[in-house]
Amino acid sequence: MAQKTVAFFGASTGVGLSALKNSLAAGHKCIALCRDPSKLTAALEDEATSNLEVIQGNAHDVAAVSRCLKASETNLVDEIVFTIGGAFVASKMSIDDPHVCEKGIVTVLEAIAGLRRQGVDGRPHVIACSTTGISRFGRDTPLVIVPMYKVLLKVPGADKAVMENKLVTSSEDFTIVRASGLVDGETDKAIRVGVEDPVKGVESKAIGYTISREDVGKWIAQNLLIQRNPKYMNKTVTVTY
């Protein structure tokens, strides 16, 4: 297996951290952008990190993001794992930044374009973590929890939907991973996968209630990073138990 270089945005916790751990374990070179690098290094204290470069910065800063996207002075990274998100604020029934994912993916796309103009070569595969409940092609959540998505998750869902559209309408290769309700704890449960073409619609459905952050990250690493399954290229996939 050839070593890849993978850029991570949002790897300090959750899905991103799990994908990062699994990528490091597979021997890939990883570059992670963090506002607080100490948070990530603390989370990785039991992991082998010789292949990890941590860069301090904000995912909405083109200069900082550009630094993470260079595998070398002349080449872009092979893969990008984008798992940033906002913190839920219960008193506002919203997240602290209602456009966090939209701004983040726009920054990544602008950084890629800017580096290419500077002569940096490459076509990275962009993997973005999204959510169920926002498909344009019908219901992809259990009927009983549809009201929760329409009320509690309305704002973050709208942000994820815009993020998805920005990526789909770009000229970059991508896979969007829509996770069902996220819980904690790695398991050995079987993961069901649905596939949706952003233009043609649903190819296969997988409707479920939950999946853990750790299992989503592991699935991303196994199916999109360590090995890139071609059936998920330029598709939107749903992962759930």
Side-chain angles (χ1 to χ4, degrees), residues 41-168:
T41 53
L44 294 172
E45 61 181 359
D46 296 326
E47 311 290 330
T49 57
S50 59
N51 285 341
L52 175 64
E53 179 183 0
V54 181
I55 295 175
Q56 184 171 20
N58 190 298
H60 296 158
D61 177 4
V62 172
V65 169
S66 296
R67 290 173 61 199
C68 290
L69 296 182
K70 294 174 69 175
S72 67
E73 288 304 309
T74 56
N75 290 287
L76 293 167
V77 297
D78 301 296
E79 311 274 355
I80 298 169
V81 180
F82 182 90
T83 58
I84 71 171
F88 188 73
V89 182
S91 62
K92 297 181 179 180
M93 297 291 284
S94 183
I95 50 178
D96 55 353
D97 183 348
H99 304 285
V100 59
C101 295
E102 174 189 359
K103 292 187 293 186
I105 204 66
V106 166
T107 303
V108 168
L109 296 172
E110 288 179 353
I112 293 171
L115 288 168
R116 287 196 182 119
R117 288 193 296 269
Q118 297 171 26
V120 183
D121 189 40
R123 188 172 181 81
H125 172 217
V126 185
I127 302 160
C129 189
S130 188
T131 180
T132 53
I134 59 173
S135 174
R136 296 188 297 111
F137 300 103
R139 178 171 58 84
D140 61 353
T141 62
L143 185 60
V144 70
I145 61 173
V146 168
M148 180 185 73
Y149 278 86
K150 291 186 177 297
V151 179
L152 288 178
L153 302 178
K154 180 179 180 180
V155 173
D159 183 35
K160 295 285 192 186
V162 175
M163 174 199 72
E164 288 189 11
N165 186 62
K166 297 285 186 184
L167 187 52
V168 168

Side-chain angles (χ1 to χ4, degrees), residues 14-15 18 179-189 191 210-219 239-241:
V15 173
S18 175
S180 58
L182 290 169
V183 296
D184 291 324
E186 185 173 348
T187 76
D188 58 1
K189 293 180 181 180
I191 295 175
T210 64
I211 189 170
S212 78
R213 296 169 176 85
E214 291 79 6
D215 286 352
V216 176
K218 181 170 63 176
W219 187 91
V239 290
T240 190
Y241 295 142

